[in-house]
Amino acid sequence: MMLGVLAARPPSSGTGPGTTLATLDFMNEVYVVNGVTLTAADVIDKPGRVGAGGLEILDNDVDGVVSAIGDLLTEFLLVDWTIVIEWEEVANVDGSYLLWMQETVDFHSISIIRANAFQSNPMQAGDSSTISRNVDNTGPFTTGVHKVAVTRTNGSISISTDGSAVDTNTTPNTTLNVLTTASFGGDPTDQSYNGCFIRTVNLTAPVADAALPGLSA
């Protein structure tokens, strides 16, 4: 199989923020990618899903997934970033797929998921290729507004939710194929899973682990 060549960005020093790559404020309908102000139709494939509660993810719906497009998708596919997602849980039944990235040849993927009630609603993030890495924060993260911060680089993956302590996996992973999609809510080749609202998304260059609790608080 062909392996993707991933261009790494240098991590931020200390606990400061990384270079901002994209800011999506679905509550106030402000979208900036690489310093350029855009519209919802420039960054997602279903701009009509944006409303007063943010970006609506439909509950278990074959058309419920919302995919990143354009320059936003390009930034996601570098798979070398810190992402902060604020979302609102409304159903609290199935797992909420806040971010799902994949390619459909060998099914390599990156995910950020609020797992289901059978697993006590923890937050989980990871990447899966010939090497699989996972990190998690103990829940429950149930109905209401929450925020998760995840850093993914070839060298490590880390997570903090609602200001929690950071969980980090430092197993190197350079075996991801080039991913092709980045979606909110689920797998675009299948369906959305749990109903929720994505409120804001901030994508930056990778930051130090020590910064993640402050970003997710």
Side-chain angles (χ1 to χ4, degrees):
M1 77 188 145
M2 182 178 294
L3 301 181
V5 178
L6 309 178
R9 300 184 180 96
S12 171
S13 61
T15 59
T19 301
T20 299
L21 308 173
T23 300
L24 312 178
D25 184 345
F26 294 110
M27 302 294 291
N28 296 297
E29 300 191 49
V30 177
Y31 315 97
V32 181
V33 180
N34 293 322
V36 178
T37 299
L38 302 170
T39 68
D42 296 318
V43 295
I44 55 173
D45 68 340
K46 297 183 178 74
R49 293 276 179 79
V50 179
L55 176 62
E56 183 177 14
I57 302 302
L58 303 182
D59 185 35
N60 287 277
D61 192 287
V62 293
D63 195 38
V65 175
V66 179
S67 295
I69 60 173
D71 289 344
L72 175 63
L73 176 60
T74 298
E75 289 296 342
F76 272 124
L77 295 183
L78 290 175
V79 298
D80 186 74
W81 32 248
T82 292
I83 188 170
V84 181
I85 302 174
E86 183 181 80
W87 84 101
E88 181 181 4
E89 278 295 332
V90 293
N92 193 34
V93 179
D94 296 324
S96 296
Y97 281 55
L98 302 183
L99 179 67
W100 178 258
M101 299 178 60
Q102 67 174 5
E103 53 83 34
T104 56
V105 176
D106 297 307
F107 301 103
H108 292 183
S109 65
I110 295 173
S111 61
I112 302 174
I113 300 170
R114 197 274 333 217
N116 63 37
F118 297 107
Q119 299 170 293
S120 300
N121 304 119
M123 283 302 305
Q124 300 174 334
D127 51 25
S128 179
S129 56
T130 57
I131 295 171
S132 292
R133 306 183 297 184
N134 295 287
V135 288
D136 64 79
N137 293 144
T138 302
F141 301 105
T142 56
T143 304
V145 176
H146 302 279
K147 190 184 290 185
V148 61
V150 174
T151 296
R152 192 276 167 199
T153 70
N154 285 350
S156 66
I157 188 166
S158 304
I159 189 172
S160 171
T161 311
D162 291 348
S164 72
V166 177
D167 185 36
T168 301
N169 187 324
T170 57
T171 302
N173 188 358
T174 60
T175 66
L176 278 173
N177 288 357
V178 176
L179 304 186
T180 57
T181 65
S183 301
F184 306 110
D187 179 350
T189 67
D190 183 19
Q191 65 172 64
S192 61
Y193 302 114
N194 199 52
C196 64
F197 288 90
I198 307 295
R199 294 163 60 92
T200 62
V201 177
N202 289 292
L203 194 69
T204 72
V207 304
D209 282 357
L212 293 184
L215 293 175
S216 73

